[in-house]
Amino acid sequence: MKKSLLAILITLVVILAGCVNTKSDVADKGNDNKDVKTDDSAVAIELLGMSTGEADMNIVRDQLIKNGFDVKLNIQPDYGSFTAQKDAGNYDLALSSWTTVTGNPDYAVRSLFKSDGDNSIMSDEEVDKLIEQASTETEEEFTKTYKQLEQRLVLDKAYIAPLYNSFKAQGVNKEIVNADTVRLAKSRAIAWESIDFVDTSKRATQPLIMQQPIGALTSLDPIKGNDGSINTLNTNMYVRLVNLTDDDKVVSDGSLSLNHVIAEGNQSYYFLLRDDINFTAVTDEKAVDTGERVGADDVVFSLNRAKDEKSVPDHRTYSLHESMEEIEVVTDLAELDVNQSGSEVTVKEALEEGLDAKISELVEDKNAADNAAGKYQVVKITTVNPFPQVLNYLAHQSAGIVSKKQVESINTYDVESFDVNKDIPYGDQNTVTEGAKYNNTLYASGPYILSHKNDYEAIFLKNPAYMTGTENEAKISNVTVRFIQDPDSTLSALRNGEIHIFNGVPETKYDLVEGDSKLTLQKSDSNAVSYLLFNTKNRAVSDSEDLRKAILYSINQDEILNYYQGNKNKAVSTVSPLVDTGNEVVADPAKVKEFLEAYNSSK
């Protein structure tokens, strides 16, 4: 979440795309290898992906055929149909990717590979044990544990087959947008509030035009989605307790907190809240100040529902927040007289750093807070075990702060008997889609709110009550997000001035952006890893470790990097961009032959 994803997030989103068959019957169209002659005894493999990943699918297909496999491509036109095929089990391998948008390695594995992870389709007790062990360790300690985890996940069991680690790049129309104001963070989604025009007089009259591939939005409720359709949108709609810098450091800057502090023991986390953000709503396609302040009660409500698997139907992000045991409002000043972790400074002193007014009183009622007078709200989070990585999760879009009053007024249904045909939950995309069902009930705590959308674009409006008068106030009044799936079409739109920023320029198109005098290319490392995910049910690869390893050692990452002109890095797992484990996967035709022979003899 995450983080623009060029390949496929494996988040399981309930989006149905037509009739899905229980057995694979993908038409030969899109199956580019139909004329390739293979041995009749070759093992048949079905590779599932989207049209946007067709180049990768073709490379993998060719490598597998060269190693004795018969490959069928199942190419789907969009994310919804891909997910429907995946849910139906119509694949042996699914082209997948994951971006660790929180900047911490626990996020890179917990949701994907833990037995109860909300995006996991596998179960391995040893993998579970190593994930939990690493989560309690410091950065100095966890490298060895993640090395063992990667060894088990990839080299020993071949649950995934890595392809590459991507760079992150975006093209900016520098004639319209001031490129110096456009951030390119390693992990977090692009922040809109800092972006400004070259001609600042156009802030109120000209929309900033962005792009993303996916137009079917999972949910505008931040806890109900963790995929490329909503990560950027929800990141800009909901404020969080902390943020990530462009190089993945956790800070309070631009967040709901003026300061945050870890207490001695690394289980208690304190957040001093600011008092200059109100929720905004949409009335007659205009953003209006609701007059409701974003406060501690909303934080407690939001984070309790984030960590509770049963708080909403189809909860997609609870595993990211299950480390939190208790979220509470602190009203006793004496509770702050404990030491900061690794310091003789008290929590109170640390929270007061840089404040114009020292803390004289802690208040429970958010409307009683008055930072200028020394009256503040403090939220305390206690984790089940010492877990400093909890701060990274609190920077994730799923930890966005929603209005307790508004969400409770909308979500009046019974979770256990939720009826998708009758009940309309908070954040349902139908409520913001033009047409008969339009009924925008969103309350945004962030710099922007979604006004309305259609199949072509989504229109966002500036929150008029978000940190006004500060450097964090949004500069541009309106943001339009165009839904353009094809990268070539997106690049053409950027070059023609139809969009202003293309977040996610493919590596093969860098030269076109750099060669256009109107554009500038911003590039950095990223935490995005593409890999092949094995089906774990009702397929030969589900049961045969030998077959999975034969596929694993068929993948030649050097050939893939050559195709991308060196604009990819090698990877072993989703942890690769975050922790140097020293592990490596090297293509080996001899091992492929050995494992295929073992597989065939076991049948």
Side-chain angles (χ1 to χ4, degrees):
M1 135 191 205
K2 235 187 135 204
K3 32 158 131 148
S4 164
L5 301 181
L6 298 178
I8 312 303
L9 292 177
I10 67 164
T11 313
L12 301 179
V13 186
V14 181
I15 307 174
L16 297 181
C19 181
V20 178
N21 299 302
T22 56
K23 294 184 179 180
S24 178
D25 62 348
V26 181
D28 276 339
K29 66 176 182 178
N31 189 344
D32 292 343
N33 68 300
K34 57 184 178 182
D35 295 324
V36 176
K37 302 299 182 183
T38 57
D39 192 298
D40 290 340
S41 63
V43 177
I45 293 294
E46 183 174 1
L47 173 59
L48 170 66
M50 280 195 342
S51 56
T52 51
E54 190 168 354
D56 288 345
M57 295 178 73
N58 287 334
I59 295 171
V60 170
R61 173 203 60 191
D62 293 345
Q63 290 181 349
L64 290 174
I65 289 175
K66 185 171 63 176
N67 282 277
F69 292 92
D70 182 12
V71 183
K72 180 180 183 179
L73 298 186
N74 182 345
I75 303 176
Q76 294 299 311
D78 53 43
Y79 187 60
S81 56
F82 164 83
T83 302
Q85 286 286 307
K86 188 168 178 285
D87 288 346
N90 294 341
Y91 70 102
D92 294 296
L93 297 166
L95 181 62
S96 308
S97 80
W98 184 259
T99 300
T100 300
V101 294
T102 57
N104 63 309
D106 189 75
Y107 179 86
V109 294
R110 179 174 296 274
S111 178
L112 298 178
F113 307 124
K114 198 166 179 289
S115 296
D116 59 353
D118 32 43
N119 295 312
S120 176
I121 61 170
M122 56 171 281
S123 179
D124 185 298
E125 291 184 2
E126 182 63 21
V127 168
D128 293 348
K129 177 182 175 183
L130 290 168
I131 290 174
E132 290 300 340
Q133 179 181 333
S135 72
T136 65
E137 296 173 334
T138 64
E139 189 170 348
E140 294 74 23
E141 299 168 331
F142 62 43
T143 298
K144 180 180 178 181
T145 307
Y146 283 118
K147 178 181 178 69
Q148 293 174 322
L149 171 61
E150 206 171 58
Q151 178 74 35
R152 175 79 175 182
L153 181 72
V154 182
L155 299 167
D156 292 348
K157 291 295 183 180
Y159 292 123
I160 66 171
L163 298 180
Y164 53 77
N165 164 218
S166 295
F167 288 104
K168 191 173 187 178
Q170 59 192 13
V172 180
N173 187 324
K174 61 185 178 183
E175 294 184 344
I176 297 175
V177 173
N178 181 348
D180 292 337
T181 67
V182 183
R183 295 174 54 183
L184 181 61
K186 184 177 182 182
S187 296
R188 68 162 287 176
I190 185 171
W192 297 343
E193 67 265 29
S194 67
I195 301 174
D196 207 351
F197 291 129
V198 172
D199 183 353
T200 57
S201 67
K202 295 183 177 181
R203 290 173 174 174
T205 58
Q206 177 173 312
L208 171 68
I209 308 177
M210 310 290 290
Q211 169 274 346
Q212 74 172 36
I214 305 173
L217 310 182
T218 305
S219 176
L220 286 314
D221 182 342
I223 66 172
K224 292 193 67 177
N226 189 18
D227 60 85
S229 76
I230 47 77
N231 275 331
T232 296
L233 310 187
N234 283 345
T235 293
N236 286 285
M237 280 223 302
Y238 299 99
V239 73
R240 296 159 300 284
L241 282 178
V242 289
N243 280 323
L244 289 179
T245 63
D246 292 350
D247 58 352
D248 288 348
K249 305 299 181 185
V250 180
V251 295
S252 289
D253 300 343
S255 75
L256 182 58
S257 302
L258 292 166
N259 283 316
H260 70 276
V261 176
I262 306 175
E264 194 171 48
N266 294 342
Q267 277 188 269
S268 297
Y269 303 79
Y270 295 85
F271 303 86
L272 187 74
L273 305 190
R274 59 192 308 143
D275 65 353
D276 59 352
I277 304 175
N278 283 3
F279 290 102
T280 185
V282 172
T283 301
D284 297 328
E285 296 188 359
K286 293 181 179 180
V288 297
D289 179 359
T290 65
E292 181 187 346
R293 180 178 290 178
V294 182
D297 59 333
D298 303 300
V299 173
V300 174
F301 172 76
S302 299
L303 298 185
N304 273 323
R305 70 195 295 265
K307 74 185 184 75
D308 180 6
E309 180 183 1
K310 298 181 179 180
S311 63
V312 291
D314 199 33
H315 197 325
R316 293 296 182 185
T317 60
Y318 63 88
S319 69
L320 304 183
H321 304 292
E322 60 189 3
S323 65
M324 295 186 292
E325 184 171 40
E326 186 174 10
I327 303 105
E328 57 189 316
V329 182
V330 178
T331 55
D332 184 359
L333 267 174
E335 187 170 340
L336 305 183
D337 290 329
V338 294
N339 284 349
Q340 181 182 11
S341 180
S343 170
E344 296 300 318
V345 175
T346 67
V347 166
K348 180 175 182 292
E349 292 169 333
L351 288 175
E352 289 177 328
E353 185 177 349
L355 297 182
D356 293 331
K358 302 297 183 182
I359 303 172
S360 62
E361 184 181 351
L362 298 181
V363 298
E364 186 169 11
D365 182 358
K366 61 186 178 184
N367 296 309
D370 184 349
N371 293 174
K375 297 180 179 181
Y376 295 91
Q377 286 199 297
V378 168
V379 171
K380 176 185 177 183
I381 295 175
T382 305
T383 53
V384 178
N385 298 301
F387 186 51
Q389 290 189 58
V390 69
L391 293 173
N392 294 79
Y393 287 125
L394 292 172
H396 187 249
Q397 65 87 20
S398 61
I401 307 305
V402 298
S403 164
K404 178 178 186 293
K405 176 182 177 182
Q406 180 70 357
V407 172
E408 286 185 333
S409 72
I410 301 298
N411 289 357
T412 57
Y413 54 79
D414 180 73
V415 174
E416 292 186 0
S417 59
F418 179 79
D419 185 346
V420 295
N421 298 312
K422 180 184 68 174
D423 298 317
I424 304 174
Y426 176 83
D428 188 323
Q429 75 155 344
N430 290 317
T431 64
V432 294
T433 301
E434 294 173 346
K437 294 183 179 180
Y438 179 87
N439 181 30
N440 193 331
T441 57
L442 296 175
Y443 265 41
S445 59
Y448 289 92
I449 186 169
L450 175 56
S451 170
H452 55 280
K453 70 175 286 286
N454 51 38
D455 292 338
Y456 175 62
E457 64 186 10
I459 306 299
F460 288 80
L461 308 174
K462 174 183 173 179
N463 181 347
Y466 183 83
M467 302 193 201
T468 54
T470 74
E471 64 180 2
N472 299 305
E473 179 183 359
K475 308 293 189 298
I476 297 173
S477 296
N478 299 281
V479 176
T480 297
V481 178
R482 297 266 167 83
F483 303 131
I484 311 174
Q485 182 174 333
D486 178 61
D488 289 334
S489 299
T490 306
L491 181 56
S492 177
L494 178 69
R495 301 182 72 181
N496 293 335
E498 297 170 23
I499 62 173
H500 302 148
I501 299 173
F502 177 10
N503 184 264
V505 176
E507 289 86 343
T508 55
K509 306 297 182 182
Y510 287 175
D511 58 338
L512 293 177
V513 175
E514 292 173 321
D516 192 320
S517 61
K518 302 187 301 295
L519 309 179
T520 186
L521 181 73
Q522 300 175 330
K523 186 177 79 169
S524 71
D525 291 334
S526 86
N527 294 332
V529 174
S530 292
Y531 58 95
L532 302 173
L533 178 71
F534 287 95
N535 196 337
T536 55
K537 290 183 179 179
N538 305 319
R539 293 275 179 142
V541 294
S542 310
D543 302 320
S544 176
E545 184 180 306
D546 288 321
L547 181 55
R548 295 197 302 270
K549 286 183 177 178
I551 294 172
L552 172 68
Y553 287 107
S554 295
I555 305 303
N556 189 321
Q557 292 192 37
D558 288 321
E559 292 180 355
I560 298 175
L561 267 58
N562 286 339
Y563 171 80
Y564 285 106
Q565 304 167 23
N567 289 315
K568 299 282 190 187
N569 291 320
K570 289 186 177 181
V572 178
S573 75
T574 47
V575 169
S576 294
L578 302 154
V579 182
D580 184 6
T581 64
N583 288 329
E584 186 178 9
V585 181
V586 179
D588 190 335
K591 286 186 177 179
V592 174
K593 182 179 179 181
E594 172 190 341
F595 288 121
L596 275 179
E597 288 177 349
Y599 165 69
N600 286 322
S601 65
S602 66
K603 290 194 295 182

